[in-house]
Amino acid sequence: MRWLTAVVLALTVLPALSNAQSSGITTYCNPVDLDYRYNWEQSDQKISYRSGADPVMVYHRGTYYLFATISGGWWRSPDMLHWQFVEPNVWPVDDNCAPAGLFVRDTFYLFQSAFTPRPVYWTTNLDSGSLHVFTPRLEVPSGAAGPWDPGVYHDEETDRWYLYWGSSNVYPLWGIELDHAGKFSYRGTAKALITLHPDQNGWERFGRDHTDPRLPFMEGAWMTKHDGKYYLQYGAPGTEYNVYANGVYVGDDPLGPFVYAPNNPISYKPGGFVTGAGHGNTFQDRYGNYWNTGTPWIAVNWDFERRIAQFPAAFDRDGLLHASTRFGDLPHRLPSGPVADPAELFAGWMLLSYRKAVTATGYAPGHAPIALTDEDPRTYWLAENTPAGQWVILDLGAACTVRALQVNYTDHQSGIYRMDSTVYTQFRIFASVDSVQWNLIADLSHEKRDRPNAYIELPAPVHARYIRYEHLHVSANHLAISDIRVFGQCNVPLPAVAVGLTVRRHEDERDATISWDPVPGVVGYNILWGIAPDKLYQTYQVFADRPCLLELRALTVGQGYHVAIEAFNEAGVSRRSEVVALPTGSRK
């Protein structure tokens, strides 16, 4: 067993493996490429795994800051691409679940989840990690347990402060005004603001694809003000499922009353490689563009083994907040200025590796290399050995233009319980047209960070049919990789427009059945839906090796919808199908 201590990695020592890895990158790919910190759970044996969840991302004076559950600190970045971990001078002994924080002018305030009084910290220098105690005891609000999963908000127009919190399948989200001059004493009593209504809102139902009858959880409070309206964000129905999402209620006052937004959930990603988008925050980047962060699930070692995702977002002309999760786990460009439509940030680099043939040096029983291309983070290739030289070869089936790759490691009996400079990831990627002549296209042989979800944008397009991963180093006891994902384009015809789209709303209006005719030669389909033909903000991705049928269980009773479908393959995306209305009261 190795007991390690966290250290700060300086930006100046980011790996000089190639220019593409230290400069010139224009894209990112979910899950966010972080050195996720190791956590562990006590059961019959200690289970350690990398994890990140419940993100709060903020921007201030040229730098982005990211906070997450049980991380021992936070990250900083100049560009939302290269993240450097910051170890603070003080930190809660039992770490910090679902922290909340915000800048007010040049001071940052950090709040902790708590059921007993705990300190609130402040700093004017997040880069240094220097924290100071603002109040030694943020008291428990009378009549409302917490504040667990806090969200803190400062209204610039009124110079008033508010605290929101709650994480329960019984209790609501609470809110209360804070007295900043009184070291965050409370003004008045806690007010119950919103609660779940799974009998009306299908997406608030618990379980995978909303199929579990148990009571769902509401958590992840966050407040955003836009155009004079207050948007109270919440996460539901459970972090350990593919349907974890963010919703909002809208009001004219920070403490309500609030009205349910008709286009809920505002961030929802139940299909694909990265599934789950709930419990994050909404913030603006350096150009004023909105983003919504969230918590995808991994759940290999533990139900609460998770990652972090970021999705471009916007308010439409009717004031509806929405995030774009369409192709939300494929490469997206970071904006270089204001963006009118968040969907425009999709880079257009398609998934080339799905269900492609794989060979490897060897594997442990039950963990064959075919798992590397199934787009499922819960299945993985487990190498027989860990020494450098283990290899995997993906056959894309034809020579394609490769633009980027992502290597996603899995924690299989990792045996790591802390982080220090001995925990890092190293590998090389080669490409070939004929599997005889190989060219090095990505070199992480000098990497000194841990990168469990390493995303590599190539400096120039590469023409290749075969992709070879060559292992150099992982610090864990085993070499295990869930997926090696390859992005770019192949020279094949674009998919035809999908036809035969049929939608039927059930007697229970929370549910609808959607079917369509198969399109030859496609990788998958995006089912697009929303409350108007020009507001198809939601996406459910379905791969083509599954039936052309989707039971959508995320609708709101009494709300009309519209549905369309698009097909995608390794060349690109088809035109959208006709938009089909799914009105309320259309049960058959």
Side-chain angles (χ1 to χ4, degrees), residues 358-360 372 381 390-394 467-470 484:
V358 189
T359 55
L372 290 164
W381 168 64
Q390 310 299 308
W391 56 261
V392 169
I393 296 177
L394 278 64
I467 299 296
R468 176 184 172 118
Y469 165 93
E470 181 183 284
I484 297 177

Side-chain angles (χ1 to χ4, degrees), residues 82-98:
H82 304 93
W83 293 96
Q84 171 202 14
F85 185 72
V86 178
E87 181 185 6
N89 62 318
V90 294
W91 198 247
V93 173
D94 52 354
D95 218 298
N96 196 348
C97 288

Side-chain angles (χ1 to χ4, degrees), residues 297-330:
W297 68 302
I298 301 295
V300 173
N301 298 285
W302 204 255
D303 284 347
F304 302 108
E305 182 181 7
R306 297 161 291 178
R307 294 291 188 265
I308 291 170
Q310 60 190 38
F311 303 105
F315 290 88
D316 71 12
R317 64 179 180 273
D318 297 315
L320 298 178
L321 174 60
H322 60 100
S324 177
T325 62
R326 173 180 173 265
F327 294 118
D329 50 25
L330 270 63

Side-chain angles (χ1 to χ4, degrees), residues 5-246:
T5 56
V7 296
V8 180
L9 301 179
L11 284 176
T12 55
V13 298
L14 285 175
L17 48 127
S18 72
N19 289 336
Q21 294 308 294
S22 59
S23 63
I25 295 176
T26 62
T27 63
Y28 72 93
C29 187
N30 287 319
V32 175
D33 186 356
L34 284 180
D35 50 340
Y36 291 93
R37 318 314 280 176
Y38 270 95
N39 293 277
W40 65 275
E41 302 293 343
Q42 180 71 58
S43 57
D44 292 338
Q45 58 181 345
K46 289 182 177 179
I47 304 170
S48 71
Y49 56 88
R50 304 168 178 97
S51 187
D54 316 320
V56 169
M57 195 179 294
V58 296
Y59 172 76
H60 184 70
R61 297 190 182 278
T63 304
Y64 298 90
Y65 300 93
L66 171 60
F67 295 79
T69 284
I70 312 180
S71 295
W74 56 85
W75 290 265
R76 67 184 301 273
S77 172
D79 53 14
M80 292 175 65
L81 291 171
H82 304 93
W83 293 96
Q84 171 202 14
F85 185 72
V86 178
E87 181 185 6
N89 62 318
V90 294
W91 198 247
V93 173
D94 52 354
D95 218 298
N96 196 348
C97 288
L102 82 167
F103 278 98
V104 177
R105 292 170 281 277
D106 285 326
T107 300
F108 185 82
Y109 297 86
L110 179 64
F111 287 68
Q112 307 175 55
S113 287
F115 289 119
T116 58
R118 297 184 75 174
V120 174
Y121 297 100
W122 70 274
T123 183
T124 56
N125 191 350
L126 274 177
D127 295 345
S128 71
S130 178
L131 290 179
H132 314 280
V133 174
F134 182 79
T135 180
R137 289 173 59 90
L138 180 68
E139 297 294 334
V140 175
S142 177
W148 196 266
D149 281 11
V152 61
Y153 171 69
H154 174 257
D155 193 331
E156 293 182 356
E157 295 183 58
T158 64
D159 197 26
R160 297 172 73 175
W161 295 72
Y162 301 87
L163 183 68
Y164 307 91
W165 72 95
S167 178
S168 172
N169 62 350
V170 177
Y171 298 107
L173 288 190
W174 304 87
I176 198 169
E177 186 172 354
L178 296 174
D179 183 355
H180 179 264
K183 296 292 184 180
F184 291 141
S185 58
Y186 298 118
R187 290 181 170 173
T189 58
K191 183 179 180 181
L193 300 178
I194 59 175
T195 190
L196 295 181
H197 298 280
D199 58 325
Q200 297 293 310
N201 307 321
W203 73 274
E204 293 179 351
R205 288 177 289 180
F206 202 55
R208 185 173 180 87
D209 287 321
H210 314 292
T211 55
D212 192 319
R214 289 177 292 174
L215 291 176
F217 282 79
M218 169 182 265
E219 53 200 0
W222 188 263
M223 177 60 76
T224 302
K225 188 176 184 180
H226 174 75
D227 198 21
K229 298 287 187 180
Y230 297 89
Y231 293 75
L232 179 56
Q233 179 176 310
Y234 65 102
T239 188
E240 66 272 43
Y241 295 106
N242 67 318
V243 291
Y244 199 34
N246 288 324

